[in-house]
């Protein structure tokens, strides 16, 4: 923007840049290390759901460390199942 135009016979102002640009925020960013998620150890297996002819047992684990915004979440399941007492035959019921 020209603040004042030259008077009759006056010289125009020297040409200059309309904008000036300079670097800013040149300091290094605070580096935050990425933290990946991690599971804790598996817990103990539960008791079998049936005492004979097959049941199910399970165990669980919890997240030990949560991933931060640049880390990867813990991979895998939080619960495992397995068959149990599959080869145990039940005794027939007996009336007394």
């Amino acid at each position: 923007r020209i603040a004042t135009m030259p008077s009759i016979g006056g010289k125009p102002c020297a040409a200059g840049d309309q904008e000036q640009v300079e670097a800013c925020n040149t300091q290094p960013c605070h580096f935050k290390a990425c933290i990946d998620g991690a599971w804790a150890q598996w817990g103990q297996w539960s008791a079998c759901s049936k005492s004979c002819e097959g049941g199910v047992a399970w165990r669980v684990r919890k997240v030990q460390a949560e991933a931060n915004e640049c880390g990867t979440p813990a991979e895998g399941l939080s619960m495992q199942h397995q068959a149990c007492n599959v080869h145990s035959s039940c005794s027939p019921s007996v009336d007394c």
Side-chain angles (χ1 to χ4, degrees):
R1 174 177 158 208
I2 300 175
T4 306
M5 297 298 288
S7 301
I8 297 176
K11 295 183 181 181
C13 298
D17 294 331
Q18 289 183 334
E19 296 178 4
Q20 291 183 352
V21 178
E22 66 180 38
C24 62
N25 295 327
T26 59
Q27 73 277 10
C29 294
H30 174 68
F31 177 75
K32 187 172 186 179
C34 294
I35 298 172
D36 292 336
W39 289 107
Q41 295 294 317
W42 285 104
Q44 297 294 317
W45 285 101
S46 70
C48 191
S49 62
K50 292 177 67 178
S51 59
C52 57
E53 296 182 351
V56 178
W58 60 89
R59 64 181 182 171
V60 296
R61 62 181 176 174
K62 296 183 179 183
V63 174
Q64 180 175 337
E66 293 284 349
N68 65 4
E69 61 275 358
C70 62
T72 57
E75 292 183 19
L77 301 174
S78 62
M79 181 180 284
Q80 286 182 332
H81 300 87
Q82 72 176 9
C84 53
N85 294 333
V86 175
H87 302 294
S88 298
S89 298
C90 292
S91 300
S93 296
V94 177
D95 289 333
C96 296

